Amino acid sequence: MRNPWLALEAGADAAERAGQLRRAHERFLTGGPIAAPVREVVADSWRRCAGARLGPESMAGVEMDDAGLALRRETHPLARAMPLFRELLGTIADDGAHLLSVCDERGTMLWVEGHPQVLRRAERMNFVPGAQWAERASGTNAPGTALAVDHAVQIFAAEHYCRPVQSWTCAAAPLHDPRTGRLIGAVDLTGGDHLASPHSLALVQATARAAEARLAALEPAPTAGGAPVPPHGCTLAVLGRDEALLHTPETRAAGGPLRLGRRHSEILLLLAAHPDGLTGEALARELYGERDVHPVTLRAELSRLRHLLGPLLDSRPYRLRDRPHTDYDTVADALAADEPAAALDAYSGPLLPGSEAPGVVRLRRLLEQRLRRRLLTRPDARLLESWLCTAAGEEDLEVWETLHAVRPTPQTTARVRELRDAYGLLPPDVPPGQGGRRATYPQRSRN
């Protein structure tokens, strides 16, 4: 059976496959269906990129200056794993054909190392420290996609969504805090078509596991507030994904998280948000709202979930015996500590974005509103720009106008004008009665 995370199966012709992928990529961009040989992980990524309205000629933007990059490197937990990355992958990166890179959990490149000639080539596509390589900014690529799906993956040639990157091939693996299970970044090897082999993927996976083991053996790193990161037996990733990832001591020993279905993701999140538990009636309201759903339906879902979770799920009321720490908690804790940069770093997207469960929708809106309100209270151009790159922020007129007031550019001028026109609002300097309308700041309708 073919490994879906590998770019090429044994015996495949790399040149022929690259041509097939280019044609498939062009068909998709012109509205055609996605068909073989495009892997499902790549097809899903292309759809995410198209949904984010990312242009196929887009290039990564450099979002950090030297001072910001130096501070981020100094404070990021992966700084303590860099000697190991260089030990295991450095000789490969120095061979004149490969690059070693490490990004943080938001996809910002913190380190890019290798032969000077290869580094110069990579600069042409902004594959440099400080650049943003999350999928939403740079399209399908190994480190960005590894972060999006929380799994090691290869991306080959025209599997890259953005054309400036299609002459490269890369293999990346996500990295987690060994104490909390929180996603903290990815390690990547980038080079030519020869990287599309099982060996490169196995190498970055082994390197990621070794780095996590090294971090686990070290003393906990301090947070920005000086307190150690608290250990948690279970962690739950629910931001920016429709299917939650549950990390427990058992899943870590088995080598990966448990991926939950959509309904089970909603149930586990809601129980995590109510540590004292919920009755069956209360949980049904949080899941189904006013819909008339037979109680047997919920009991069946809970029975299946208990089969997956074992003793973690209790009943009467329904609750979790060991409440998982969620990435939602990480953002909320950073906001409570008045650390908006840390909150944005941890905010990898809307909470279970495909869910329409009333309890989930309420939590999703609450987190977005808290984060947005903090960014508008004491505006910082870099943080505002990061928010505008998210699904919640891309059409947020008030944030665009705030960014324009803080740091006006031709781009912000055009975008503010475009959004005000789309919402039928008057320019700020036009008096009432001259066409258009005045209103409070509109935002895109979201669940």
Side-chain angles (χ1 to χ4, degrees):
M1 182 178 178
R2 182 183 177 186
N3 183 340
W5 308 103
L6 286 172
L8 295 178
E9 65 274 21
D13 183 289
E16 180 182 1
R17 179 61 53 81
Q20 293 170 338
L21 290 168
R22 279 195 300 273
R23 292 188 289 275
H25 184 258
E26 292 304 318
R27 281 196 302 273
F28 175 70
L29 293 180
T30 54
I34 303 177
V38 181
R39 293 176 288 154
E40 192 61 32
V41 64
V42 173
D44 289 343
S45 177
W46 286 2
R47 295 185 188 103
R48 288 193 295 270
C49 296
R53 296 186 294 182
L54 186 68
E57 303 300 332
S58 299
M59 286 181 59
V62 180
E63 66 170 22
M64 281 190 177
D65 58 19
D66 290 345
L69 177 63
L71 178 62
R72 183 67 171 151
R73 284 174 168 175
E74 181 182 345
T75 58
H76 198 276
L78 288 177
R80 303 197 296 172
M82 280 308 297
L84 179 67
F85 292 139
R86 294 181 179 118
E87 176 186 342
L88 298 179
L89 300 177
T91 55
I92 298 174
D94 288 336
D95 67 358
H98 301 85
L99 294 175
L100 159 66
S101 68
V102 176
C103 67
D104 67 12
E105 62 275 21
R106 292 181 56 243
T108 303
M109 283 296 159
L110 300 182
W111 293 273
V112 181
E113 300 180 358
H115 192 280
Q117 185 176 356
V118 188
L119 287 170
R120 284 194 294 272
R121 284 182 54 216
E123 287 175 0
R124 299 171 194 163
M125 60 175 182
N126 276 351
F127 195 72
V128 295
Q132 174 54 250
W133 278 81
E135 276 189 347
R136 69 176 183 274
S138 303
T140 309
N141 68 91
T145 301
L147 292 175
V149 301
D150 200 7
H151 199 286
V153 66
Q154 285 176 335
I155 300 296
F156 167 69
E159 289 182 333
H160 290 92
Y161 185 79
C162 295
R163 294 190 183 99
V165 195
Q166 291 182 347
S167 62
W168 298 81
T169 292
C170 41
L175 294 148
H176 302 87
D177 184 312
R179 292 176 176 82
T180 69
R182 183 174 68 88
L183 188 66
I184 55 175
V187 58
D188 167 80
L189 273 177
T190 290
D193 291 353
H194 54 279
L195 268 181
S197 72
H199 307 295
S200 65
L201 188 63
L203 182 58
V204 295
Q205 285 179 299
T207 300
R209 287 195 293 268
E212 290 171 351
R214 176 72 59 87
L215 293 175
L218 298 172
E219 289 296 318
T223 64
V229 177
H232 295 280
C234 302
T235 62
L236 186 68
V238 288
L239 295 180
R241 61 181 71 250
D242 290 324
E243 296 182 334
L245 298 178
L246 177 65
H247 295 261
T248 68
E250 292 75 20
T251 62
R252 293 188 192 104
L258 174 63
R259 186 181 296 275
L260 301 171
R262 291 197 177 195
R263 183 63 78 192
H264 288 167
S265 299
E266 294 168 341
I267 293 172
L268 200 57
L269 169 67
L270 290 168
L271 293 178
H274 296 84
D276 293 332
L278 292 168
T279 65
E281 293 81 1
L283 181 55
R285 284 195 300 272
E286 294 286 276
L287 283 171
Y288 307 116
E290 299 304 317
R291 290 165 49 200
D292 186 15
V293 177
H294 198 284
V296 172
T297 301
L298 178 57
R299 287 200 294 270
E301 291 286 3
L302 287 162
S303 177
R304 287 189 286 268
L305 184 58
R306 184 177 288 108
H307 180 73
L308 291 173
L309 302 183
L312 181 63
L313 178 60
D314 210 344
S315 57
R316 297 181 183 177
Y318 294 111
R319 63 183 183 87
L320 300 174
R321 294 183 181 178
D322 181 10
R323 181 192 179 277
H325 182 83
T326 70
D327 45 2
Y328 183 104
D329 297 328
T330 303
V331 177
D333 291 347
L335 289 172
D338 196 24
E339 297 176 355
L344 266 178
D345 284 343
Y347 183 78
S348 51
L351 175 71
L352 299 181
S355 173
E356 297 180 356
V360 175
V361 171
R362 185 172 61 254
L363 290 170
R364 182 192 306 144
R365 288 175 173 167
L366 175 63
L367 190 65
E368 287 181 1
Q369 290 166 2
R370 287 185 62 196
L371 186 51
R372 179 180 180 274
R373 188 163 55 245
R374 173 58 186 83
L375 297 177
L376 289 169
T377 301
R378 295 198 297 276
D380 175 281
R382 184 179 70 83
L383 299 182
L384 292 171
E385 287 175 342
S386 294
W387 176 251
L388 290 170
C389 288
T390 68
E394 60 184 349
E395 295 181 4
D396 192 326
L397 174 58
E398 186 176 8
V399 177
W400 274 106
E401 292 193 334
T402 302
L403 175 61
H404 183 66
V406 173
R407 191 167 67 192
T409 66
Q411 180 192 16
T412 60
T413 300
R415 186 61 173 151
V416 167
R417 184 179 295 116
E418 176 187 6
L419 287 174
R420 292 193 70 87
D421 182 63
Y423 293 129
L425 300 179
L426 290 169
D429 55 346
V430 175
Q434 296 189 14
R437 63 186 177 89
R438 293 198 181 278
T440 56
Y441 286 103
Q443 296 185 57
R444 185 179 46 158
S445 175
R446 300 186 301 275
N447 284 333

